[in-house]
Amino acid sequence: MGDNQATGQAGGERDERHALIDRLTQLQRTLGRFLAHDRSTPLLASSLTMQQLKVVVMLFFRDASSGQHLARALGVGLGTVTGIVDRLVAQGLVSRREDPADRRVRLVELTTRGRLLAEELIDAGTANYMRLLDRLDTETLNTLEQVMIKLQAAADSMITESGRSAAH
């Protein structure tokens, strides 16, 4: 089914939607550049590679993961993950332990130092965003909340659809 049929939109309205989405995307990029401009953020001060940062953030939200899970999430081989984890262990950010459910599996988890780094990274972005939001009036904040709720629902729907397509 084509875009027109699926949404019931006329060509002009569809063109207007695409132009609006393009403008919103550009605004988002500009906002992202503004938020990334602060050179004091821990992300820019970190000497970790992007892959290492991804592992630290993933472990922050998952507690502990196997090397296999990390490899799938990063889209790399197990050998690559082993090297990434080795370097994070050497820096005292993660540790390995035996999986109590399967002693053949080694789990990777953040150390206290790794958890503090992840919290610092996440909190730095949140602090800048909160300072930005504090400059908006209450009516605009209410409108933004409604938009964000709709964005979250759309994201949840996409995740659900992605899970269904991966299962087939």
Side-chain angles (χ1 to χ4, degrees):
M1 189 184 304
D3 192 30
N4 268 347
Q5 293 170 327
T7 61
Q9 297 170 342
E13 184 178 343
R14 190 175 74 241
D15 291 344
E16 183 181 337
R17 281 179 54 82
H18 287 299
L20 183 56
I21 289 170
D22 286 344
R23 289 193 309 272
L24 289 168
T25 301
Q26 186 57 46
L27 288 167
Q28 181 66 36
R29 284 185 187 130
T30 302
L31 181 60
R33 281 192 291 274
F34 164 76
L35 292 173
H37 185 69
D38 182 0
R39 298 285 180 217
S40 68
T41 63
L43 177 62
L44 296 172
S46 171
S47 62
L48 297 179
T49 67
M50 184 56 72
Q51 296 288 53
Q52 291 168 345
L53 283 168
K54 287 178 182 179
V55 169
V56 167
V57 171
M58 280 191 286
L59 293 174
F60 181 76
F61 290 108
R62 271 190 74 88
D63 291 331
S65 289
S66 69
Q68 289 285 352
H69 176 266
L70 291 172
R72 278 193 307 275
L74 293 171
V76 299
L78 190 55
T80 301
V81 167
T82 299
I84 292 167
V85 171
D86 286 347
R87 287 184 287 282
L88 290 171
V89 167
Q91 294 179 61
L93 298 173
V94 303
S95 63
R96 291 183 175 101
R97 68 175 166 87
E98 201 173 80
D99 183 348
D102 185 346
R103 293 177 39 191
R104 297 169 297 173
V105 176
R106 304 282 290 168
L107 295 176
V108 180
E109 62 188 352
L110 290 176
T111 61
T112 301
R113 183 173 169 203
R115 185 159 295 284
L116 289 172
L117 173 64
E119 287 173 356
E120 187 179 0
L121 290 168
I122 292 164
D123 289 347
T126 302
N128 286 336
Y129 188 60
M130 288 176 68
R131 283 198 314 272
L132 180 62
L133 292 177
D134 194 45
R135 292 175 169 258
L136 301 177
D137 61 78
T138 303
E139 181 181 347
T140 302
L141 289 170
N142 281 318
T143 301
L144 182 58
E145 179 186 31
Q146 294 307 309
V147 170
M148 295 298 285
I149 288 168
K150 289 180 180 187
L151 281 171
Q152 182 63 52
D156 291 344
S157 174
M158 289 174 70
I159 290 168
T160 301
E161 289 170 10
S162 174
R164 276 194 298 241
S165 66
H168 290 96

